[in-house]
C-alpha cells in the first residue's frame, strides 16, 4: 500500500490539487480499462471540487458515478449528497443518466435500501468479492468519521457486505463498509478546516483505535491512499513526521 500526505496552503489550493489528481486518475482508469468508477463523498468540502470537475472535458460516457454514503432523506432533500453532487456537477455535464447510480432512500427502510444498493454494486461489478472502485472520495468529520462510519457504531465492524446502515445521533445513513472502501484503487481524503486538526493528530500520531476514529480504519488492501489537507487542518502534521510519503509525482 502506498500512502501520500499533501498539505496545501489553503482550501483553494486543496481543491485545485485534488482536481488535478482526480482528473488524472479518471484518465488513467479510462486509458487502462475504458471505464472509470468513482464513489463520491458528501458534506461541504468536496462541493467546490465537483464544481471544478463540471468544467472538465472528460469522456462522460465512460465514467460511472456512485456514492460512498447517503443521508436517509429523499433525493431532493437539501441534506441529500446526491442532490449536492447533481447540482454542483452531474447536471452540468452530458453524463448519460444510466451512468449515475445513487443510493436509494425511498423504501422507508434503510436496511432494505442498503441491500438494494449492495445488489446494484454486485450487478455492476460482477462476481468480485470486494468490488475495486477506481476512485473513492472521502471526507472526514471532526470526530474522525468518514463516509457514514461514525465512532463506536456497529457499522464499523460490518465485513460481510458492501453496504450497511450507519447512524449519526440516531439518524440512519447508508454507507460503504470499511472492506469495500479498502478494496479501492485510489482512496482520496479531502480534509479542510482547523476543526479537523485533533482528529488528524489521533489518526496519524496516536494509538487511538479505529472505533474511536473511524478514518483510521481506511487502509487500502492494494491501492493508494491520498490524504489531501489544507494547512488549517494539517497544521500540526508535516509529511516528514508521518509514515506517509510526500507525493513523488508532483506533476500529477
Ligand atoms: C456526509 C459525508 C461525511 C463528510 C464529513 C466531512 O454525508 O456528510 O459523507 O462523511 O465527508 O462529515 O464533512 P465536511 O466536508 O462538511 O467537513
Amino acid at each position: 500500500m502506498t500512502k501520500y500526505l499533501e498539505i496545501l496552503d489553503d482550501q483553494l489550493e486543496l481543491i485545485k490539487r485534488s482536481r488535478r489528481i482526480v482528473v488524472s486518475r479518471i484518465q488513467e482508469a479510462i486509458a487502462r480499462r475504458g471505464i472509470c468508477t468513482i464513489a463520491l463523498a458528501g458534506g461541504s468540502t468536496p462541493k467546490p471540487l465537483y464544481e471544478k470537475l463540471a468544467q472538465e472535458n472528460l469522456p462522460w460516457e465512460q465514467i460511472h458515478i456512485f456514492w460512498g454514503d447517503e443521508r436517509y432523506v429523499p433525493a431532493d432533500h437539501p441534506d441529500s449528497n446526491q442532490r449536492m453532487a447533481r447540482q454542483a456537477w452531474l447536471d452540468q455535464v452530458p453524463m448519460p443518466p444510466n451512468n449515475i447510480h445513487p443510493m436509494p432512500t425511498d423504501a422507508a427502510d434503510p436496511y432494505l435500501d442498503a441491500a438494494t444498493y449492495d445488489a446494484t454494486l454486485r450487478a455492476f461489478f460482477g462476481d468480485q468479492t470486494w468490488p475495486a472502485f477506481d476512485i473513492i472520495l472521502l471526507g472526514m468529520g471532526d470526530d474522525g468519521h468518514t463516509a457514514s462510519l461514525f465512532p463506536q457504531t456497529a457499522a464499523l465492524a460490518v465485513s460481510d457486505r458492501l453496504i450497511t446502515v450507519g447512524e449519526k445521533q440516531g439518524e440512519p445513513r447508508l454507507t460503504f463498509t470499511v472492506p469495500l472502501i479498502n478494496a479501492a484503487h485510489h482512496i482520496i481524503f479531502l480534509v479542510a478546516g482547523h476543526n479537523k486538526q485533533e482528529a488528524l493528530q489521533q489518526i496519524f500520531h496516536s494509538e487511538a483505535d479505529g472505533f474511536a476514529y473511524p478514518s483510521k480504519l481506511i487502509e487500502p488492501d492494494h491501492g493508494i491512499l491520498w490524504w489531501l489537507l489544507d494547512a488549517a487542518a494539517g497544521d500540526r502534521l508535516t509529511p516528514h513526521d508521518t509514515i506517509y510519503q510526500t507525493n513523488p509525482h508532483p506533476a500529477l
Side-chain angles (χ1 to χ4, degrees), residues 144 202-210 213-219:
Q202 294 291 337
I203 289 158
F204 280 77
H205 288 307
S206 90
E207 298 311 311
D209 73 18
Y213 293 92
S215 296
K216 204 160 185 164
L217 298 173
I218 306 307
E219 295 274 353

Side-chain angles (χ1 to χ4, degrees), residues 104 109-122 161 163-165 174:
D109 176 347
Y111 289 90
L112 182 56
D113 277 321
T116 298
Y117 203 61
D118 199 301
T120 297
L121 296 189
R122 292 205 179 282
R161 69 201 71 173
I163 307 298
T164 191
V165 177
L174 303 190

Side-chain angles (χ1 to χ4, degrees), residues 42-46 69 71 81 139-141 145-147 173 196:
S44 59
T45 304
D69 75 315
R71 292 84 181 274
N81 290 336
M140 188 195 75
H145 83 260
T146 190
R173 293 185 170 197
K196 311 292 175 77

